[in-house]
Amino acid sequence: RTKEEGRGHYRLFEPEMKVAMQHRRTLEVELRRAAVAGEFEIFYQPVVSVPEREVVGHEALLRWRHPERGLVAPDRFIPLAEEIGVIEPISEWVLAQACTAAARHPGEGRIAVNLSAVQFTSRRSDLVKVVASALGASGLSPERLELEITETTLLRDTEGVLATLHALKALGVSIAMDDFGTGYSSLDYLRRFPFDRVKVDRSFIHKLARDNPPVLRALTDLCRAFSMHVTAEGVETEEQFAAIVASGYTEAQGFLFGRPAPREGNAPLRSGRL
Ligand code: C2E
Ligand code: MG
Ligand code: MG
Ligand code: MG
């Protein structure tokens, strides 16, 4: 009976909330099935040197090829994957795939992989071991691997995250602060955490290239003062490119140079573990 009464409450929010909840449940079931069915793929986006525009590496970006809905972007399923506890096996697969693909192409430079905040606080798996085994299994040299983290990771258990970052760096991999310029983007992050690179968020690049290029320059000066490399994200136009060249960026990513795309040898994820 309590269940019935509980249900009754939903009527207050109908119909939007009911539809949203049904959609979420469907997505959850499908997401758990997706891994087993091998529906995940990795797309790779080139990272180029500035101003030469030579490819110096790639970023691995997860995609879900849904049988009916087509290609689903990570922003639409990663938060849910984190919530329902399937992000870890998915992330481990991404890491293993990306390292293996990069190891097969020794001349291709760096491979960047995004990490979830959940991986830093997990009691189920040890991130440092996961990274070490992806390196070991693929034979990729650690200096070719860069791990990207966002502010969400830093907002959690600071001491724990700091210790994990140092342990990861001890493996020989590098660490990038992703999406800088969104959220708090505290300067204190740059002081406290051992980043090798800062990636300036696309929204920042777009607005500043148009309205206030001196701030784009100030950001590269700031990163350099912290001995960090700096990458401009989301460069779409020649005007934006000119602004980042003039502002001292040494690397860039964006549709102007190349969109994320699949590549040969992407084995589907098959795992009964989810
Ligand atoms: P991100 O790491 O900041 O990745 C950059 C995002 O910007 C990608 O979106 C990319 O497709 C998009 N992008 C690149 N250049 C341009 C441009 O010139 N213009 C525009 N408008 N967009 C551009 P995507 O692939 O949809 O990924 C979104 C976010 O999902 C990523 O942001 C990352 O935070 C997360 N993500 C992707 N793959 C993974 C993964 O394997 N694990 C985890 N935990 N997160 C992932
Ligand atoms: Mg990233
Ligand atoms: Mg980013
Ligand atoms: Mg992002």
Side-chain angles (χ1 to χ4, degrees), residues 45 59 62-63 74 78 114 178-179 202 233 236 254-255 260:
Q45 183 180 36
E59 178 172 4
L62 186 59
R63 297 289 182 270
I78 283 181
N114 293 283
D178 204 353
D179 300 346
R202 141 176 114 239
E233 293 195 272
E236 293 177 351
F255 294 170

Side-chain angles (χ1 to χ4, degrees), residues 196-210:
D196 299 283
R197 175 182 309 280
V198 173
K199 298 184 74 174
V200 179
D201 192 68
R202 141 176 114 239
S203 58
F204 229 57
I205 297 290
H206 290 189
K207 285 176 207 147
L208 293 175
R210 196 189 53 213

